[in-house]
Amino acid sequence: MQSLDGQPARLEIHDISWDPISAAKGEYRHFMQKEIFEQARSLTDTIRGRVDFSAGEVYLEDMHLTAERARSFNRAVIVACGTSAYSGLVGKFMLEKIARIPVEVDYGSEFRYRDPIIDERTLIVAITQSGETVDTLAAMEEGREKGAYLCSIVNVIGSQAARMSDGVVYMHCGPEIGVASTKAFTSSLVDQYLLALYLAQLRDSIGPVARQALVDDLARLPELAGRLLDPHDNALYEELAEQFHRYRNFLYLGRGVNYPIALEGALKLKEISYIHAEGYPAGEMKHGPIALIDREMPVVTLAPQDNVYDKMVSQVEQVKARSGIVIAVATEGDEFIRSRADHVIPIPAAPPLLTPVLAVMPLQRLAYEIAVRRGADVDQPRNLAKSVTVE
């Protein structure tokens, strides 16, 4: 192969460790089901080799970022589309809380059309599973032309997004065959957590004691995910699917760092079951959506025991006061929320910034079981493609 000047081109060789077994359904009915239950492993693979748990430090060698450049950033902009954009909304909490960098989240499809104000002190974080999403690539090109530092969080080695970037954080979740993203979503959440810790180290934005605590929190995550993803414990989801698969509308409510999970839960239901669903900030319900609440509108609430727990309980009570049906994703052992909601899906207690990783998994399983009960093509939903490569 020749380069543009006629000289032999030296091509970089990439070793991709994906094996044929990872692209087969095996014992599972659909790829999406398999990928949901692979998440404990994919989270482990995302963390493996990047964290020194004894020293409380994170290593992202492909970021190629110096401490001087990291300290120069005065803001970050996360650009992404679809599920990845909702991941970025969670990442905003992580980057601001840990790295102390102001963060904006923008759709790749909108970013370049408003002449965004960015310069060499801007960190752009592009999230794209395939690395080929055309709108996200266009947003990255806009950032490069204006001098921003480009970082991509991507799953596919050698993809266009990875090649365009100054630094890359690979998802390490293996091939994702199902069109509706599951394990790539949770891996990208953990990648943003790692990125936030990495930037915090370079910028000295948090002390070693606080950083060690955050690293320790991460160490427990795959085990918690494994507890939550027992494929033999599916009766609750099958019962919910049987009860709710004929409903035509759902409302998902979340607050704080779990508001994006409400958006993602609603998107999953729309994508694969073709039921209309809307994600909403719980505090905004009384500013309009509360008018929709009745016996025909199931409401899924994200209500773990965190700093906004009392507020979420209040939302549950408001829905019940209007004859609504509540499905609550709540912390294990929370009997109070069980006395208020019609149905409870328990998740293990986890640190606030990592709770979204666990909270989304029941919503993936619920959407999957409802779609199967409706007879939908789960892996290849109508009108959708795995990677959107045209505008």
Side-chain angles (χ1 to χ4, degrees), residues 179-231:
V179 167
S181 182
T182 51
K183 64 179 180 176
F185 177 79
T186 51
S187 289
S188 70
L189 295 181
V190 172
D191 280 327
Q192 289 175 94
Y193 189 88
L194 292 170
L195 178 60
L197 283 167
Y198 180 71
L199 290 170
Q201 288 171 199
L202 295 178
R203 293 164 60 89
D204 293 323
S205 57
I206 58 174
V209 175
R211 192 170 66 240
Q212 181 68 60
L214 291 166
V215 166
D216 291 343
D217 290 342
L218 189 61
R220 300 173 49 238
L221 186 62
E223 186 270 329
L224 296 177
R227 282 172 46 196
L228 185 56
L229 294 170
D230 181 355

Side-chain angles (χ1 to χ4, degrees), residues 96-364:
E96 291 190 342
K97 182 70 173 179
I98 299 172
R100 308 307 298 165
I101 299 176
V103 179
E104 299 174 27
V105 182
D106 216 327
Y107 286 110
S109 55
E110 296 292 332
F111 183 70
R112 62 184 166 138
Y113 292 111
R114 57 179 177 81
D115 190 21
I117 302 171
I118 52 179
D119 57 26
E120 67 280 354
R121 299 187 66 191
T122 304
L123 169 66
I124 289 184
V125 180
I127 308 174
T128 163
Q129 188 279 143
S130 67
E132 305 293 344
T133 305
V134 66
D135 292 317
T136 303
L137 294 175
M140 294 175 69
E141 185 63 36
E142 180 80 11
R144 181 164 65 181
E145 290 178 0
K146 295 186 175 183
Y149 187 95
L150 298 185
C151 163
S152 63
I153 295 176
V154 64
N155 194 35
V156 179
I157 296 171
S159 61
Q160 179 73 356
R163 297 197 305 272
M164 286 178 63
S165 299
D166 299 301
V168 183
V169 183
Y170 286 108
M171 294 180 188
H172 288 179
C173 67
E176 188 178 67
I177 309 299
V179 167
S181 182
T182 51
K183 64 179 180 176
F185 177 79
T186 51
S187 289
S188 70
L189 295 181
V190 172
D191 280 327
Q192 289 175 94
Y193 189 88
L194 292 170
L195 178 60
L197 283 167
Y198 180 71
L199 290 170
Q201 288 171 199
L202 295 178
R203 293 164 60 89
D204 293 323
S205 57
I206 58 174
V209 175
R211 192 170 66 240
Q212 181 68 60
L214 291 166
V215 166
D216 291 343
D217 290 342
L218 189 61
R220 300 173 49 238
L221 186 62
E223 186 270 329
L224 296 177
R227 282 172 46 196
L228 185 56
L229 294 170
D230 181 355
H232 303 294
D233 183 22
N234 208 45
L236 172 60
Y237 297 97
E238 292 173 351
E239 290 169 10
L240 290 172
E242 175 63 29
Q243 182 168 345
F244 292 106
H245 73 277
R246 292 187 180 89
Y247 283 78
R248 302 184 65 180
N249 300 283
F250 273 71
L251 182 63
Y252 286 67
L253 298 177
R255 199 155 190 159
V257 73
N258 288 302
Y259 159 53
I261 302 306
L263 295 172
E264 173 62 10
L267 178 62
K268 281 292 152 287
L269 192 66
K270 282 183 281 197
E271 284 180 313
I272 63 172
S273 76
Y274 317 137
I275 295 173
H276 171 255
E278 186 173 1
Y280 227 82
E284 292 295 301
M285 184 180 70
K286 56 184 168 293
H287 295 281
I290 199 168
L292 297 170
I293 303 299
D294 60 19
R295 293 182 178 87
E296 300 301 315
M297 173 71 84
V299 180
V300 180
T301 63
L302 281 303
Q305 291 176 324
D306 57 13
N307 65 319
V308 291
Y309 174 73
D310 291 343
K311 302 292 185 182
M312 287 305 303
V313 169
S314 174
Q315 302 302 321
V316 169
E317 291 172 339
Q318 289 186 45
V319 172
K320 291 304 300 173
R322 290 157 180 83
S323 302
I325 303 168
V326 175
I327 304 170
V329 175
T331 306
E332 287 176 337
D334 185 349
E335 295 303 323
F336 184 77
I337 199 74
R338 193 172 290 277
S339 70
R340 298 298 193 271
D342 297 282
H343 308 275
V344 174
I345 305 176
I347 61 172
L353 289 177
L354 293 174
T355 297
V357 181
L358 301 176
V360 75
M361 294 176 184
L363 304 187
Q364 295 169 348

